[in-house]
Coordinates of all heavy atoms in Angstrom, one line a residue:
M1 N -9.3 -11.0 -15.7 CA -10.0 -11.1 -14.4 C -10.1 -9.7 -13.8 O -9.2 -8.9 -13.9 CB -9.1 -12.0 -13.5 CG -9.8 -12.3 -12.2 SD -8.9 -13.6 -11.3 CE -7.7 -12.6 -10.5
T2 N -11.3 -9.4 -13.3 CA -11.5 -8.1 -12.7 C -11.0 -8.1 -11.2 O -11.2 -9.0 -10.5 CB -13.0 -7.8 -12.7 OG1 -13.5 -8.0 -14.0 CG2 -13.3 -6.4 -12.2
K3 N -10.3 -7.0 -10.9 CA -9.8 -6.9 -9.6 C -10.9 -6.4 -8.6 O -11.8 -5.7 -9.0 CB -8.7 -5.9 -9.5 CG -7.4 -6.3 -10.2 CD -6.3 -5.3 -10.0 CE -5.0 -5.8 -10.2 NZ -4.0 -4.9 -9.7
T4 N -10.8 -6.8 -7.4 CA -11.8 -6.4 -6.4 C -11.2 -5.3 -5.5 O -10.1 -5.5 -4.9 CB -12.2 -7.6 -5.5 OG1 -12.6 -8.7 -6.4 CG2 -13.3 -7.3 -4.5
E5 N -12.0 -4.2 -5.4 CA -11.5 -3.1 -4.6 C -12.0 -3.4 -3.2 O -13.1 -3.7 -2.9 CB -12.1 -1.8 -5.1 CG -11.6 -0.6 -4.3 CD -12.1 0.7 -4.9 OE1 -12.5 0.7 -6.1 OE2 -12.1 1.7 -4.2
V6 N -11.0 -3.3 -2.2 CA -11.3 -3.5 -0.8 C -10.9 -2.3 0.0 O -9.8 -1.8 -0.1 CB -10.6 -4.7 -0.3 CG1 -10.9 -5.0 1.2 CG2 -10.9 -6.0 -1.1
R7 N -11.8 -1.7 0.7 CA -11.5 -0.5 1.5 C -11.5 -0.7 3.0 O -11.6 0.2 3.8 CB -12.4 0.6 1.1 CG -12.1 1.2 -0.3 CD -13.0 2.4 -0.5 NE -12.7 3.0 -1.8 CZ -11.9 4.0 -2.0 NH1 -11.2 4.5 -1.0 NH2 -11.7 4.5 -3.2
E8 N -11.5 -2.0 3.4 CA -11.5 -2.3 4.8 C -10.0 -2.1 5.4 O -9.3 -1.3 4.8 CB -12.0 -3.7 5.0 CG -13.4 -3.8 4.6 CD -13.8 -5.3 4.3 OE1 -13.0 -6.2 4.6 OE2 -14.8 -5.5 3.7
Y9 N -9.7 -2.8 6.4 CA -8.4 -2.7 7.0 C -7.3 -2.7 6.0 O -7.2 -3.5 5.2 CB -8.2 -3.8 8.1 CG -6.9 -3.7 8.7 CD1 -6.6 -2.8 9.7 CD2 -5.8 -4.5 8.3 CE1 -5.3 -2.7 10.3 CE2 -4.6 -4.5 8.9 CZ -4.3 -3.6 9.9 OH -3.1 -3.5 10.5
Q10 N -6.3 -1.7 6.2 CA -5.2 -1.7 5.3 C -3.9 -1.7 6.1 O -3.8 -1.0 7.1 CB -5.2 -0.3 4.5 CG -6.6 -0.1 3.8 CD -6.4 0.6 2.5 OE1 -5.5 1.4 2.3 NE2 -7.4 0.4 1.7
W11 N -3.0 -2.6 5.7 CA -1.7 -2.7 6.5 C -0.6 -1.9 5.9 O 0.5 -1.8 6.5 CB -1.3 -4.2 6.6 CG -1.3 -4.9 5.4 CD1 -0.3 -5.0 4.5 CD2 -2.4 -5.7 4.8 NE1 -0.6 -5.8 3.4 CE2 -1.9 -6.3 3.6 CE3 -3.6 -6.0 5.3 CZ2 -2.7 -7.1 2.9 CZ3 -4.4 -6.9 4.5 CH2 -4.0 -7.4 3.3
I12 N -0.8 -1.2 4.8 CA 0.2 -0.2 4.3 C -0.5 1.1 4.5 O -1.5 1.4 3.9 CB 0.5 -0.4 2.8 CG1 1.0 -1.8 2.5 CG2 1.4 0.7 2.3 CD1 2.4 -2.0 2.9
K13 N 0.1 1.9 5.3 CA -0.4 3.2 5.6 C 0.6 4.3 5.5 O 1.7 4.1 6.0 CB -1.1 3.3 7.0 CG -2.3 2.4 7.1 CD -2.9 2.6 8.5 CE -4.1 1.7 8.7 NZ -4.5 1.7 10.1
P14 N 0.3 5.5 4.9 CA 1.3 6.5 4.9 C 1.3 7.4 6.1 O 0.3 7.6 6.7 CB 0.8 7.4 3.7 CG -0.7 7.2 3.7 CD -0.9 5.8 4.2
D15 N 2.5 7.9 6.5 CA 2.6 8.9 7.5 C 2.3 10.2 6.8 O 3.1 10.7 6.0 CB 4.0 8.8 8.1 CG 4.2 9.9 9.2 OD1 3.5 10.9 9.2 OD2 5.1 9.7 10.0
K16 N 1.2 10.8 7.1 CA 0.8 12.0 6.4 C 1.6 13.2 6.7 O 1.5 14.2 6.0 CB -0.7 12.2 6.6 CG -1.6 11.1 6.0 CD -3.1 11.4 6.2 CE -3.9 10.2 5.5 NZ -5.3 10.4 5.6
E17 N 2.4 13.1 7.7 CA 3.3 14.2 8.1 C 4.5 14.2 7.2 O 5.2 15.2 6.9 CB 3.7 14.1 9.5 CG 2.6 14.2 10.5 CD 2.0 15.6 10.5 OE1 2.8 16.6 10.5 OE2 0.8 15.7 10.6
K18 N 4.8 13.0 6.6 CA 6.1 12.8 5.8 C 5.8 12.7 4.3 O 6.6 13.1 3.5 CB 6.8 11.5 6.3 CG 7.4 11.6 7.7 CD 8.1 10.3 8.0 CE 8.8 10.2 9.3 NZ 9.4 9.0 9.6
C19 N 4.7 12.1 4.0 CA 4.4 11.8 2.6 C 4.3 13.1 1.7 O 3.6 14.1 2.2 CB 3.0 11.1 2.5 SG 2.5 10.7 0.8
I20 N 4.9 13.1 0.6 CA 4.9 14.3 -0.3 C 4.1 14.0 -1.6 O 4.1 14.7 -2.6 CB 6.3 14.7 -0.7 CG1 7.1 13.5 -1.4 CG2 7.1 15.3 0.5 CD1 8.4 13.9 -2.0
S21 N 3.3 12.9 -1.6 CA 2.4 12.5 -2.7 C 3.1 12.4 -4.0 O 2.6 12.7 -5.0 CB 1.3 13.5 -2.8 OG 0.6 13.6 -1.6
C22 N 4.3 11.8 -4.0 CA 5.1 11.7 -5.2 C 4.6 10.5 -6.1 O 5.0 10.5 -7.3 CB 6.6 11.5 -4.9 SG 7.0 9.9 -4.1
G23 N 4.0 9.6 -5.5 CA 3.4 8.4 -6.3 C 4.4 7.3 -6.6 O 4.1 6.4 -7.3
Q24 N 5.6 7.4 -6.0 CA 6.6 6.4 -6.3 C 6.1 5.0 -5.8 O 6.4 4.0 -6.4 CB 7.9 6.7 -5.6 CG 8.7 7.9 -6.2 CD 9.3 7.5 -7.6 OE1 8.6 7.4 -8.6 NE2 10.6 7.3 -7.6
C25 N 5.5 5.0 -4.6 CA 5.0 3.7 -4.1 C 4.0 3.1 -5.0 O 4.0 1.9 -5.3 CB 4.5 3.9 -2.7 SG 3.2 5.2 -2.6
V26 N 3.2 3.9 -5.6 CA 2.1 3.5 -6.5 C 2.8 2.9 -7.8 O 2.5 1.8 -8.3 CB 1.2 4.6 -6.9 CG1 0.2 4.2 -8.0 CG2 0.5 5.1 -5.7
N27 N 3.8 3.6 -8.3 CA 4.4 3.2 -9.6 C 5.3 2.0 -9.4 O 5.4 1.2 -10.4 CB 5.4 4.4 -10.0 CG 4.6 5.6 -10.4 OD1 3.4 5.5 -10.7 ND2 5.2 6.8 -10.4
F28 N 5.9 1.7 -8.3 CA 6.8 0.6 -8.1 C 6.1 -0.7 -7.6 O 6.7 -1.7 -7.5 CB 8.0 1.0 -7.3 CG 9.0 1.7 -8.1 CD1 8.9 3.1 -8.2 CD2 10.1 1.1 -8.7 CE1 9.9 3.8 -9.0 CE2 11.0 1.7 -9.4 CZ 10.9 3.1 -9.6
C29 N 4.9 -0.6 -7.1 CA 4.3 -1.8 -6.6 C 4.1 -2.8 -7.7 O 3.5 -2.6 -8.7 CB 2.9 -1.4 -6.0 SG 2.0 -2.9 -5.5
P30 N 4.8 -4.0 -7.5 CA 4.7 -5.0 -8.5 C 3.3 -5.6 -8.7 O 3.1 -6.3 -9.7 CB 5.7 -6.1 -8.1 CG 5.8 -5.9 -6.6 CD 5.5 -4.4 -6.3
R31 N 2.4 -5.4 -7.8 CA 1.1 -6.0 -7.9 C 0.0 -5.0 -8.2 O -1.2 -5.3 -8.2 CB 0.8 -6.7 -6.5 CG 1.7 -7.9 -6.2 CD 1.4 -9.1 -7.1 NE 0.1 -9.6 -6.8 CZ -0.6 -10.4 -7.5 NH1 -0.2 -10.8 -8.7 NH2 -1.8 -10.9 -7.1
D32 N 0.4 -3.8 -8.4 CA -0.5 -2.7 -8.8 C -1.6 -2.6 -7.8 O -2.8 -2.4 -8.1 CB -1.1 -3.0 -10.2 CG -1.8 -1.8 -10.8 OD1 -1.4 -0.7 -10.5 OD2 -2.8 -2.1 -11.5
V33 N -1.2 -2.6 -6.5 CA -2.1 -2.5 -5.4 C -2.5 -1.1 -5.0 O -3.7 -0.9 -4.7 CB -1.5 -3.2 -4.2 CG1 -2.3 -3.0 -2.9 CG2 -1.3 -4.7 -4.4
L34 N -1.6 -0.2 -5.1 CA -1.8 1.1 -4.5 C -2.3 2.2 -5.5 O -2.1 2.1 -6.7 CB -0.4 1.6 -4.0 CG 0.2 0.7 -2.9 CD1 1.6 1.2 -2.6 CD2 -0.6 0.6 -1.7
R35 N -3.0 3.1 -5.0 CA -3.4 4.3 -5.8 C -3.2 5.5 -4.9 O -3.3 5.4 -3.6 CB -4.8 4.2 -6.2 CG -5.1 3.1 -7.2 CD -4.6 3.4 -8.6 NE -4.9 2.4 -9.6 CZ -4.3 1.3 -9.7 NH1 -3.3 0.9 -9.0 NH2 -4.7 0.4 -10.7
L36 N -3.1 6.7 -5.5 CA -3.2 7.9 -4.7 C -4.6 8.3 -4.5 O -5.4 8.3 -5.5 CB -2.4 9.1 -5.3 CG -0.9 9.0 -5.4 CD1 -0.3 10.3 -5.9 CD2 -0.3 8.7 -4.0
G37 N -5.1 8.6 -3.3 CA -6.4 8.9 -3.1 C -6.7 10.4 -3.4 O -5.8 11.1 -3.8
E38 N -7.9 10.8 -3.3 CA -8.3 12.2 -3.6 C -7.6 13.1 -2.6 O -7.4 14.3 -3.0 CB -9.8 12.4 -3.4 CG -10.6 11.7 -4.5 CD -12.1 11.8 -4.4 OE1 -12.5 12.5 -3.5 OE2 -12.8 11.3 -5.2
D39 N -7.2 12.6 -1.5 CA -6.4 13.5 -0.5 C -4.9 13.5 -0.9 O -4.1 14.2 -0.2 CB -6.6 12.9 0.9 CG -6.1 11.5 1.1 OD1 -5.6 10.9 0.1 OD2 -6.3 11.0 2.2
G40 N -4.5 12.8 -1.9 CA -3.1 12.8 -2.4 C -2.2 11.8 -1.7 O -1.1 11.7 -2.0
F41 N -2.8 11.0 -0.8 CA -2.0 10.0 -0.1 C -2.4 8.6 -0.6 O -3.5 8.3 -1.0 CB -2.3 10.0 1.4 CG -1.9 11.3 2.0 CD1 -2.9 12.2 2.6 CD2 -0.6 11.7 2.1 CE1 -2.6 13.4 3.2 CE2 -0.3 13.0 2.7 CZ -1.2 13.8 3.2
P42 N -1.3 7.7 -0.6 CA -1.6 6.4 -1.1 C -2.5 5.5 -0.2 O -2.4 5.7 1.0 CB -0.2 5.8 -1.2 CG 0.6 6.5 -0.2 CD 0.0 7.9 -0.1
Y43 N -3.2 4.6 -0.8 CA -4.0 3.7 -0.1 C -4.0 2.4 -0.9 O -3.7 2.4 -2.1 CB -5.4 4.2 0.2 CG -6.3 4.2 -1.1 CD1 -7.3 3.2 -1.3 CD2 -6.2 5.3 -2.0 CE1 -8.1 3.3 -2.5 CE2 -7.0 5.3 -3.1 CZ -7.9 4.3 -3.3 OH -8.7 4.4 -4.5
M44 N -4.4 1.3 -0.3 CA -4.4 0.0 -0.9 C -5.8 -0.2 -1.6 O -6.7 -0.7 -1.0 CB -4.2 -1.1 0.1 CG -2.9 -1.0 0.9 SD -2.7 -2.3 2.1 CE -2.0 -3.6 1.0
K45 N -5.8 0.1 -2.9 CA -7.1 -0.1 -3.6 C -7.4 -1.5 -3.8 O -8.6 -1.9 -3.8 CB -7.0 0.7 -5.0 CG -8.3 0.6 -5.7 CD -8.3 1.5 -6.9 CE -9.7 1.4 -7.6 NZ -9.8 2.4 -8.7
Y46 N -6.4 -2.3 -4.1 CA -6.6 -3.8 -4.3 C -5.8 -4.6 -3.3 O -4.9 -5.3 -3.6 CB -6.1 -4.1 -5.8 CG -6.8 -3.3 -6.8 CD1 -6.1 -2.4 -7.6 CD2 -8.2 -3.5 -7.0 CE1 -6.8 -1.6 -8.5 CE2 -8.9 -2.7 -8.0 CZ -8.1 -1.8 -8.7 OH -8.8 -1.1 -9.7
R47 N -6.2 -4.4 -2.1 CA -5.5 -4.9 -0.9 C -5.3 -6.4 -1.0 O -4.2 -6.9 -0.7 CB -6.4 -4.6 0.3 CG -5.8 -5.0 1.6 CD -6.8 -5.1 2.7 NE -7.7 -6.2 2.5 CZ -8.7 -6.6 3.3 NH1 -8.9 -5.8 4.4 NH2 -9.5 -7.6 3.1
D48 N -6.2 -7.2 -1.5 CA -6.0 -8.6 -1.5 C -5.0 -9.1 -2.5 O -4.7 -10.3 -2.5 CB -7.4 -9.3 -1.8 CG -8.3 -9.1 -0.6 OD1 -7.9 -8.7 0.5 OD2 -9.5 -9.5 -0.7
D49 N -4.5 -8.2 -3.4 CA -3.4 -8.6 -4.3 C -2.1 -8.4 -3.7 O -1.1 -8.7 -4.3 CB -3.6 -7.8 -5.6 CG -4.8 -8.2 -6.4 OD1 -5.3 -9.3 -6.1 OD2 -5.2 -7.4 -7.3
C50 N -2.0 -7.8 -2.5 CA -0.7 -7.5 -1.9 C 0.1 -8.7 -1.6 O -0.4 -9.7 -1.1 CB -0.9 -6.6 -0.7 SG 0.6 -6.2 0.2
W51 N 1.4 -8.7 -1.9 CA 2.3 -9.8 -1.6 C 3.2 -9.5 -0.4 O 4.1 -10.3 -0.1 CB 3.3 -9.9 -2.8 CG 2.8 -10.8 -3.9 CD1 1.8 -11.7 -3.9 CD2 3.4 -10.9 -5.2 NE1 1.7 -12.3 -5.1 CE2 2.7 -11.8 -5.9 CE3 4.4 -10.2 -5.9 CZ2 3.0 -12.2 -7.3 CZ3 4.7 -10.5 -7.2 CH2 4.0 -11.5 -7.9
Y52 N 3.0 -8.4 0.3 CA 3.8 -8.0 1.4 C 5.3 -8.0 1.1 O 6.1 -8.3 1.9 CB 3.6 -9.0 2.6 CG 2.2 -9.6 2.6 CD1 2.0 -11.0 2.3 CD2 1.1 -8.9 2.9 CE1 0.7 -11.5 2.2 CE2 -0.2 -9.4 2.9 CZ -0.3 -10.7 2.6 OH -1.6 -11.3 2.5
C53 N 5.6 -7.6 -0.1 CA 7.0 -7.6 -0.6 C 7.8 -6.5 0.0 O 9.0 -6.5 0.0 CB 7.0 -7.6 -2.1 SG 6.4 -6.1 -2.8
D54 N 7.1 -5.4 0.5 CA 7.8 -4.3 1.1 C 8.4 -3.3 0.1 O 9.2 -2.4 0.5 CB 8.8 -4.7 2.1 CG 8.6 -4.2 3.5 OD1 7.6 -3.5 3.7 OD2 9.3 -4.6 4.4
V55 N 8.3 -3.5 -1.2 CA 8.9 -2.7 -2.2 C 8.4 -1.2 -2.0 O 9.2 -0.3 -2.1 CB 8.5 -3.1 -3.7 CG1 8.8 -2.0 -4.7 CG2 9.3 -4.4 -4.0
C56 N 7.1 -1.1 -1.7 CA 6.5 0.3 -1.6 C 7.2 1.0 -0.4 O 7.5 2.2 -0.5 CB 5.0 0.2 -1.4 SG 4.5 -0.8 -0.1
T57 N 7.4 0.3 0.7 CA 8.0 1.0 1.8 C 9.5 1.3 1.6 O 10.0 2.3 2.0 CB 7.9 0.1 3.1 OG1 8.6 -1.1 3.0 CG2 6.4 -0.2 3.4
Y58 N 10.2 0.4 0.8 CA 11.6 0.5 0.5 C 11.8 1.7 -0.4 O 12.8 2.4 -0.3 CB 12.1 -0.8 -0.1 CG 13.6 -0.7 -0.4 CD1 14.6 -0.9 0.5 CD2 14.0 -0.5 -1.8 CE1 15.9 -0.8 0.2 CE2 15.3 -0.5 -2.1 CZ 16.3 -0.6 -1.1 OH 17.6 -0.6 -1.5
I59 N 10.9 1.9 -1.4 CA 11.1 2.9 -2.4 C 10.8 4.3 -2.0 O 11.2 5.3 -2.6 CB 10.3 2.5 -3.7 CG1 10.9 3.0 -5.0 CG2 8.9 2.9 -3.6 CD1 12.2 2.3 -5.4
C60 N 10.0 4.4 -1.0 CA 9.6 5.7 -0.5 C 10.7 6.6 -0.1 O 11.5 6.3 0.7 CB 8.6 5.6 0.6 SG 8.1 7.2 1.3
P61 N 10.9 7.8 -0.8 CA 12.0 8.7 -0.5 C 11.9 9.4 0.8 O 12.8 10.0 1.3 CB 11.9 9.7 -1.7 CG 10.5 9.7 -2.1 CD 10.0 8.3 -1.8
K62 N 10.7 9.3 1.4 CA 10.5 10.0 2.7 C 10.3 9.1 3.9 O 9.9 9.6 5.0 CB 9.3 11.0 2.6 CG 9.5 12.1 1.6 CD 10.6 13.0 2.1 CE 10.8 14.2 1.2 NZ 11.9 15.1 1.7
D63 N 10.5 7.8 3.7 CA 10.3 6.8 4.7 C 8.9 7.0 5.4 O 8.7 7.0 6.6 CB 11.4 7.0 5.8 CG 11.3 5.8 6.8 OD1 10.9 4.7 6.4 OD2 11.7 6.0 8.0
A64 N 7.9 7.3 4.5 CA 6.6 7.6 5.0 C 5.6 6.4 5.0 O 4.5 6.5 5.5 CB 6.0 8.7 4.1
L65 N 6.0 5.3 4.4 CA 5.2 4.1 4.4 C 5.7 3.0 5.3 O 6.9 2.8 5.3 CB 5.1 3.5 2.9 CG 4.0 4.0 2.0 CD1 4.0 3.1 0.8 CD2 2.7 4.1 2.6
H66 N 4.7 2.4 6.0 CA 5.1 1.3 6.9 C 4.1 0.2 6.7 O 2.9 0.4 6.6 CB 5.2 1.8 8.3 CG 6.2 2.9 8.5 ND1 7.5 2.6 8.5 CD2 6.1 4.3 8.5 CE1 8.2 3.8 8.6 NE2 7.3 4.8 8.6
L67 N 4.7 -1.0 6.8 CA 3.9 -2.2 6.8 C 3.5 -2.5 8.2 O 4.3 -2.7 9.1 CB 4.8 -3.4 6.3 CG 4.2 -4.7 5.9 CD1 3.3 -4.5 4.7 CD2 5.3 -5.7 5.6
E68 N 2.2 -2.3 8.5 CA 1.7 -2.5 9.8 C 1.2 -3.9 10.0 O 1.4 -4.8 9.2 CB 0.5 -1.5 10.0 CG 1.0 -0.1 9.8 CD 0.0 0.9 10.4 OE1 -1.0 0.6 10.9 OE2 0.3 2.1 10.2
E69 N 0.7 -4.2 11.1 CA 0.3 -5.6 11.5 C -0.7 -6.1 10.5 O -1.7 -5.5 10.2 CB -0.4 -5.6 12.9 CG -0.6 -7.0 13.4 CD -1.2 -6.9 14.8 OE1 -1.2 -5.8 15.4 OE2 -1.7 -7.9 15.3
I70 N -0.3 -7.3 10.0 CA -1.2 -8.0 9.0 C -2.2 -8.8 9.7 O -1.8 -9.5 10.7 CB -0.3 -8.8 8.0 CG1 0.7 -7.9 7.3 CG2 -1.1 -9.6 7.0 CD1 1.7 -8.6 6.5
P71 N -3.4 -8.8 9.3 CA -4.5 -9.5 10.1 C -4.5 -11.0 10.0 O -5.5 -11.6 10.4 CB -5.8 -8.8 9.5 CG -5.4 -8.5 8.1 CD -4.0 -8.1 8.2
Y72 N -3.5 -11.6 9.4 CA -3.5 -13.1 9.5 C -2.0 -13.5 9.3 O -1.2 -12.7 8.8 CB -4.4 -13.7 8.4 CG -4.3 -13.1 7.0 CD1 -3.2 -13.4 6.1 CD2 -5.2 -12.1 6.6 CE1 -3.1 -12.8 4.9 CE2 -5.1 -11.5 5.4 CZ -4.1 -11.9 4.5 OH -4.0 -11.3 3.3
L73 N -1.7 -14.7 9.6 CA -0.4 -15.2 9.5 C 0.1 -15.6 8.1 O -0.7 -16.1 7.3 CB -0.2 -16.5 10.4 CG -0.3 -16.2 11.9 CD1 -0.3 -17.6 12.6 CD2 0.8 -15.4 12.4
I74 N 1.3 -15.3 7.8 CA 1.9 -15.7 6.5 C 2.9 -16.8 6.8 O 3.7 -16.7 7.6 CB 2.7 -14.5 5.9 CG1 1.7 -13.4 5.7 CG2 3.3 -15.0 4.6 CD1 2.4 -12.1 5.3
K75 N 2.7 -18.0 6.1 CA 3.6 -19.1 6.4 C 4.5 -19.3 5.2 O 4.2 -19.0 4.1 CB 2.8 -20.3 6.7 CG 2.0 -20.2 7.9 CD 1.3 -21.5 8.3 CE 0.5 -21.3 9.6 NZ -0.2 -22.5 10.0
Ligands
LIG101 S1 3.9 -4.7 0.0 FE1 4.5 -5.0 -2.2 S2 2.6 -5.8 -3.1 FE2 2.0 -4.9 -1.2 S3 1.4 -2.8 -1.7 FE3 3.6 -2.7 -1.1 S4 4.7 -3.0 -3.1 FE4 2.6 -3.6 -3.4
LIG102 S1 6.5 7.0 -2.1 FE1 6.3 7.9 0.0 S2 6.2 10.1 -0.3 FE2 5.7 9.2 -2.3 S3 3.5 9.0 -2.3 FE3 4.3 7.1 -1.5 S4 4.2 7.3 0.7 FE4 4.1 9.3 -0.2

């Protein structure tokens, strides 16, 4: 199945003052959602595959990633 790239609203965003572009969040995401952009910061390339598991925010050595408001309810 081909993944769909979505570049609209993203609820995982790096703090660019803290991020060191190490790529750990990209490597540990169990859903292969994240990529490092051309600017060196992670973004949600395959946003709709995200499970909101928080692994990416937990693994970040700089506490630079945060799960922001999700645009719909999870039950
Ligand atoms: S919350 Fe989980 S699934 Fe979503 S981007 Fe982070 S590690 Fe990947
Ligand atoms: S794990 Fe943290 S410091 Fe490393 S690229 Fe991701 S957001 Fe940046």
